[in-house]
Amino acid sequence: MKTLQAVRGMHDILPSDAARWQWLEQRLAERLTAYGFGEIRIPVVEKTELFTRAIGQGTDVVEKEMYAFPDRNGESLCLRPEGTAGVVRAVLQHGLLNPPGLKVWYQGPMFRHERPQKGRQRQFHQTGVEIFGMETPETDAELIAMAGRLWRELGVDHLLRLEINSLGDREDRERYRTALVDYLRPRVDRLDADSQRRLETNPLRILDSKNPETRSLLVDAPRLDEHLGDEARRHFERVTALLDALGIAWTHNPGLVRGLDYYCRTVFEWTTDALGAQGTVCAGGRYDDLVEIQGGRATPGIGFALGMERLLALVESTGQQFEHRPHAYLVSSEAGAARLGLAERLRDHWPALRLITDLQGGSFKAQFKRADRSGAAVALVLGEAELAAGEVTIKDLRGDSPQSSVPADRLGAELRRRFATDGPDVAASGEPA
Ligand code: ATP
Ligand code: MG
């Protein structure tokens, strides 16, 4: 029978890739925890209504990209296209905004029916953070500073550029919307088809159009930043002043509107030139109305989501090493308890030891071949001669150190000594026996 293939735009993460995912996930989790965020894990499937309500009609995500399907009882469900709506649903459902003031992060797959291409998949992964109940400009600034620190820790800060804008408050956007429609309506014939439709449904989205003719029309269009009310303007000035004080470089992009409807005031994106066309790695903003839209008590919110595939690609472009190659591979002519016993004693001695026991057996030649393929630094040889002498031979598989024999009861100490400088994950754990 023909073997089946994965769904287009949805990818397996194989063991050979998983090390880099773990590497990144671990660093993100540590950093977010250190800033006081708690992890939240929510379902991958939600009611479709959640997303249409939160994200908004006339957005790409709701109009074209949602994986919505009828459940067996006829209710419309949806594979989540993003995380924020579900997080808001969860924190309201469980009363976590009472009292207000909550910082959470999430991580996991998102689903959008887009045209698959480099940097764009139908199942992709995001790590996101949300802060509820804090409306100060300091909140926006610290969130951005945290992201900046992440980029430094991942060694990609020199590849990313921060763009920031203010979308104002709801009334500001309504005034602007009128001005924009007044400007575009007489020029409607020159708009692309999507933008013509959006002129009626969601005119601000037109600012996001990638169509060159539409873009050239927008050059002389009224600007959102000229329609900000005093409060939104002060907020933006304070955020950018704080960024300056913290030494964080930013540029104001008045055309930055973001793809989802729920944003207000501060919006921001980190983009790179290093990944080709899909250069937005992380994006977010304030959503002070979203909790109320979802039926909660009015509570300000702000967050961002970063695309894991794109961030990983960026980290890889710097030559970062992710792999945890095994320290040692145990080959043995002895099929019984001696080799497993030796391996377990070594692990008792040094829990962080990355040791692979050859379980397939056969000739030494075959075992050495597998040892080599495993990437291990050394082979530990337990042959008949070694067994008789109570020793183990250490054979260098990568360099040309001479092979040496070590009494079996000193082997753990010897391996630790050899690999002690092999990164903090190794040196930190385990006590000498
Ligand atoms: P884009 O303009 O690239 O479509 P977006 O505005 O739709 O992005 P957001 O909803 O802000 O994206 O999602 C945050 C991040 O998630 C993006 O900056 C990107 O890194 C990542 N992302 C979004 N859609 C995809 C996708 N289809 N494949 C891979 N990563 C994605
Ligand atoms: Mg998109």
Side-chain angles (χ1 to χ4, degrees), residues 339-357:
R339 95 169 102 171
L340 288 185
L342 173 66
E344 290 306 312
R345 278 197 306 283
L346 291 171
R347 294 181 176 112
D348 286 344
H349 179 82
W350 184 20
L353 175 66
R354 295 192 294 274
L355 171 67
I356 298 178
T357 319

Side-chain angles (χ1 to χ4, degrees), residues 96-117:
L96 302 190
L97 297 185
N98 224 344
L102 178 72
K103 295 161 92 175
V104 292
W105 69 276
Y106 61 85
Q107 204 277 113
M110 305 294 162
F111 304 84
R112 297 184 192 177
H113 197 276
E114 308 196 64
R115 192 169 69 79
Q117 53 193 291

Side-chain angles (χ1 to χ4, degrees), residues 398-414:
R398 307 294 146 195
D400 40 19
S401 314
Q403 74 175 44
S404 57
S405 292
V406 179
D409 58 358
R410 285 210 349 248
L411 181 60
E414 169 59 20

Side-chain angles (χ1 to χ4, degrees), residues 112 114 119-121 124 126 258 280-283 305 307 310:
R112 297 184 192 177
E114 308 196 64
R120 202 173 282 290
Q121 301 174 189
F124 61 100
Q126 288 183 337
R258 306 282 305 111
T280 309
V281 171
C282 177
R310 294 186 195 174

Side-chain angles (χ1 to χ4, degrees), residues 351-409:
L353 175 66
R354 295 192 294 274
L355 171 67
I356 298 178
T357 319
D358 190 284
L359 301 172
Q360 285 156 278
S363 70
F364 264 128
K365 189 167 168 225
Q367 294 190 44
F368 268 109
K369 213 177 216 171
R370 288 193 288 267
D372 196 48
R373 229 183 296 136
S374 78
V378 300
L380 307 177
V381 188
L382 187 62
E384 271 163 36
E386 283 89 354
L387 266 175
E391 290 183 341
V392 175
T393 300
I394 305 178
K395 194 167 177 312
D396 192 354
L397 294 174
R398 307 294 146 195
D400 40 19
S401 314
Q403 74 175 44
S404 57
S405 292
V406 179
D409 58 358

Side-chain angles (χ1 to χ4, degrees), residues 23-24 27 147-160 311 313-320 322:
W23 181 95
L24 182 59
R27 270 158 189 78
R149 181 177 296 278
L150 264 174
W151 314 146
R152 284 199 300 283
E153 288 171 349
L154 299 173
V156 294
D157 51 316
H158 61 295
L159 298 169
L160 286 166
L311 181 56
L314 199 60
V315 174
E316 274 167 40
S317 78
T318 66
Q320 173 70 46
F322 306 95

